[in-house]
């Protein structure tokens, strides 16, 4: 019997593969099922997250400069640590490269990794370097700390909580569409010069995303601990569904409140994509989606880059979007594109 | 200008890529340059190590069953934690797989990972699952703990210390030669039945290596803290050179004291490889190479699986082998095979 991986989907596959593992160490506080694992080595809690990035799957060197790739590889991993309301302090980086790459190319990659380490204040503490038969692979594991009181999981949202998101949504997705279009044109005719239409905002969202260190610092200053949090990596809808499932709640998102940058909006329309669809399903935004107790709303009022987009409701009300026209639509995840 | 990766070698490459990173967090106790990084989150020290394994580079599914591969992927990473005299408690595992693999194949892989978790008492606490364009990739990060007093680094060996190794050497290497021979014969004539000559010992050394959890436990019982330690993954010579370089010392290894299993010896001769060469350069033994203060020799006397193979000498005396015939040969590392 042969079951195709695509038939399970990413999360079904993870659930199946990790079933049957039983916890053996009291230092293991939480395992799979959140942005990061939480460990207890007797002091502050230790938070660990890992990501693999492969050429041809997660990045395309036709338009992703190696320095940007190094930066992004680190930033997206740190985003998982911030999503626990923790502070990343170390990373380990494994790379596998074919002999197509020169040492100078790897210098560029590590220049980006170093810039991210400096900007986020984390230390590169180890890694593994290997040959590959083909292409480039980067594996990043980030390690952070937080006190038990600071830690925020996906599972803490309660009906009545206010649903918030940072920054704006959909930009990385339309940035990718623009890069993919120019790549196609280039492959058809290598003499053509790419026309990226001065779309620096959406291109930056795709090529140099930032993790929201600033938001976690604002939370601390405001003495705000969200009830639940997740980073928006797969797309707002997909990540909201994770948060709601983990918390055993539903949610109501108001379309009119979704933060969409004007450039994202305009470029979406050019690509004949509904901007709301880009914001709901785009992915790679690396913003923070979180819930707060109603009594904490005052604390976010003056956080410039935090927007209220809806509220948490009982599970039986489902996870829904209220459109600008006043209609309700269930929010459902889109498929797993890579298989 | 283009510098080929092969021209630097693995360790030269790592040195170049990680130059220019400055430490930013007091929780970072040691970064690159040992089997694992050491972090301080306010309680016991946290020890972290990572490895990447790629199909076609680190393993060959022609003869490596997926369950064994899962087991070995974990065991070799835990070996780095034990080499710090620490106890591994958690792992995170990232995999990337092409659609050539079925879910059932991944079940096998994870059955091996689970068995290793059970045997070594570690928890799988997270990971990443991705598609790949081709082949299978496994990335394992292991996290352990130790008190500051327990931790053993590579840099603590002093002239006069006694040099010891666990188990025996070279078996994994000759096991690999046997498997490679049978693979070549099979590829030439698929009707041929592999003749593995009942070499269960050396095949087991290659296909199902064990990390030396038992040794670290014996050390604790004997209240023995080695002065320096490293695991033998690249080969005794290469790893001894690392230890000596980090400690600023030389070493004298006695050929007559090298532990070689009779099966390894016999099979080496069949392959026309000097058994001493297999033991010195074979790699993948995952034994522990360590040094102890002369006053601690009594503590290892009754450790069945620990052998004294030489002594630490001043740096100016170099790292040398004294042959059975009484001659001295400098020990030098062999090249980096994968590029």
């Amino acid at each position: 019997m042969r079951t195709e991986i695509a038939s399970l989907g990413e999360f079904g596959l993870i659930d199946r593969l990790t079933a049957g593992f039983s916890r053996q160490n009291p230092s293991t506080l939480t395992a799979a099922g959140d942005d990061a694992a939480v460990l207890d080595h007797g002091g502050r809690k230790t938070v660990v997250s890992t990501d693999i990035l492969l050429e041809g799957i997660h990045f395309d060197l036709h338009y992703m400069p190696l320095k940007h790739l190094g930066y992004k590889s680190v930033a997206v991993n740190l985003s998982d640590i911030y999503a626990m309301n923790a502070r990343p302090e170390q990373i380990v980086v494994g790379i596998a490269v074919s002999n197509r790459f020169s040492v100078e190319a790897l210098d560029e990659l590590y220049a980006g990794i170093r810039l991210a380490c400096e900007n986020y204040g984390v230390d590169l503490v180890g890694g593994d370097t290997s040959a590959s038969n083909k292409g480039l692979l980067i594996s990043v594991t980030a390690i952070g700390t937080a006190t038990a009181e600071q830690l925020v999981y996906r599972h803490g949202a309660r009906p009545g909580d206010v649903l918030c998101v940072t920054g704006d949504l959909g930009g990385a997705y339309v940035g990718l569409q623009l890069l993919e279009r120019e790549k196609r044109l280039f492959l058809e005719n290598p003499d053509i010069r790419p026309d990226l239409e001065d779309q620096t905002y959406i291109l930056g969202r795709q090529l140099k995303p930032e993790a929201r260190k600033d938001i976690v610092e604002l939370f601390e200053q405001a003495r705000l601990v969200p009830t639940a949090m997740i980073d928006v990596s797969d797309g707002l809808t997909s990540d909201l569904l994770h948060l709601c499932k983990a918390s055993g709640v539903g949610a109501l998102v108001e379309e009119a409140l979704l933060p969409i940058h004007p450039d994202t909006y305009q470029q979406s329309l050019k690509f004949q994509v509904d901007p709301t669809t880009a914001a709901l399903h785009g992915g790679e935004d690396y913003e923070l989606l979180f819930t707060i107790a109603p009594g904490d709303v005052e604390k976010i009022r003056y956080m410039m880059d935090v927007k209220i987009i809806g509220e948490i409701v009982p599970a039986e009300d489902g996870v829904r979007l209220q459109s600008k026209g006043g209609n309700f639509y269930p929010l459902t995840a889109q498929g797993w594109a890579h298989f």
Side-chain angles (χ1 to χ4, degrees), chain A:
Chain A
M1 204 197 102
R2 180 185 162 96
T3 309
E4 297 300 329
I5 293 171
S7 71
L8 290 183
E10 181 176 5
F11 303 106
L13 178 63
I14 292 170
D15 286 348
R16 171 158 167 167
L17 295 179
T18 57
F21 283 75
S22 56
R23 197 182 71 132
Q24 305 190 58
N25 291 289
S27 64
T28 303
L29 297 187
T30 66
D34 219 304
D35 293 280
V38 181
L39 317 179
D40 182 1
H41 290 169
R44 299 187 300 284
K45 305 305 174 239
T46 301
V47 182
V48 185
S49 177
T50 194
D51 273 318
I52 295 177
L53 294 100
L54 287 104
E55 184 179 357
I57 301 282
H58 302 101
F59 58 88
D60 186 331
L61 293 175
H62 283 99
Y63 47 71
M64 177 61 100
L66 280 160
K67 187 172 176 182
H68 284 68
L69 176 63
Y71 192 91
K72 182 171 175 174
S73 302
V74 176
V76 304
N77 213 287
L78 301 184
S79 182
D80 283 321
I81 304 291
Y82 292 121
M84 303 297 290
N85 202 35
R87 279 81 184 148
E89 296 184 349
Q90 288 87 20
I91 55 169
V92 294
V93 175
I95 60 167
V97 281
S98 75
N99 55 16
R100 186 183 108 218
F101 293 88
S102 67
V103 174
E104 287 74 19
L106 297 182
D107 285 342
E108 278 297 296
L109 181 75
Y110 272 73
I113 292 173
R114 193 167 68 233
L115 183 61
C117 282
E118 289 166 1
N119 284 358
Y120 293 101
V122 304
D123 293 317
L124 174 69
V125 296
D128 190 16
T129 307
S130 163
S132 83
N133 285 323
K134 189 164 174 287
L136 173 62
L137 155 105
I138 306 168
S139 156
V140 181
T141 300
I143 300 154
T145 60
T147 64
E149 298 71 35
Q150 283 170 323
L151 280 171
V152 177
Y153 298 87
R154 294 180 181 177
H155 57 64
R158 294 292 167 262
D161 284 356
V162 176
L163 182 65
C164 307
V165 75
T166 60
D168 55 74
L169 301 171
Y173 174 77
V174 294
L176 182 62
Q177 302 313 306
L178 181 58
L179 290 163
E180 290 280 1
R181 182 193 71 189
E182 293 305 312
K183 178 188 165 189
R184 279 192 303 273
L185 294 174
F186 175 81
L187 291 177
E188 284 164 18
N189 178 2
D191 293 329
I192 211 165
R193 282 183 58 87
D195 177 13
L196 296 173
E197 305 180 27
D198 290 329
Q199 289 292 336
T200 53
Y201 182 75
I202 61 170
L203 293 173
R205 294 291 286 173
Q206 173 58 227
L207 295 178
K208 191 166 180 283
E210 299 286 357
R212 300 308 308 249
K213 177 179 198 270
D214 58 334
I215 298 293
V216 170
E217 290 169 352
L218 284 177
F219 288 167
E220 184 163 24
Q221 287 164 25
R223 297 180 188 277
L224 172 64
V225 178
T227 52
M229 187 151 61
I230 189 171
D231 80 322
V232 182
S233 53
D234 296 335
L236 180 72
T237 300
S238 176
D239 292 310
L240 176 60
L241 289 167
H242 289 311
L243 187 150
C244 287
K245 187 181 174 193
S247 294
V249 297
L252 181 63
V253 175
E254 291 204 43
E255 183 187 10
L257 298 179
L258 289 174
I260 302 176
H261 191 278
D263 291 359
T264 304
Y265 197 93
Q266 291 299 328
Q267 203 67 31
S268 273
L269 295 179
K270 275 199 191 176
F271 283 113
Q272 299 183 298
V273 173
D274 176 9
T276 296
T277 301
L280 287 174
H281 298 288
E284 293 204 276
D285 292 315
Y286 301 106
E287 297 294 345
L288 293 173
L289 176 69
F290 61 95
T291 58
I292 59 173
D296 280 335
V297 168
E298 202 55 37
K299 294 181 181 173
I300 61 162
R301 190 176 299 277
Y302 299 105
M303 293 184 190
M304 287 293 292
D305 220 18
V306 170
K307 305 287 188 309
I308 294 173
I309 59 168
E311 64 176 319
I312 297 299
V313 299
E316 53 268 32
D317 293 346
V319 180
R320 294 185 302 165
L321 179 78
Q322 181 169 25
S323 74
K324 291 172 184 168
N327 295 314
F328 292 87
Y329 300 94
L331 287 172
T332 50
Q334 298 192 331
W336 196 19
H338 293 314
F339 280 99

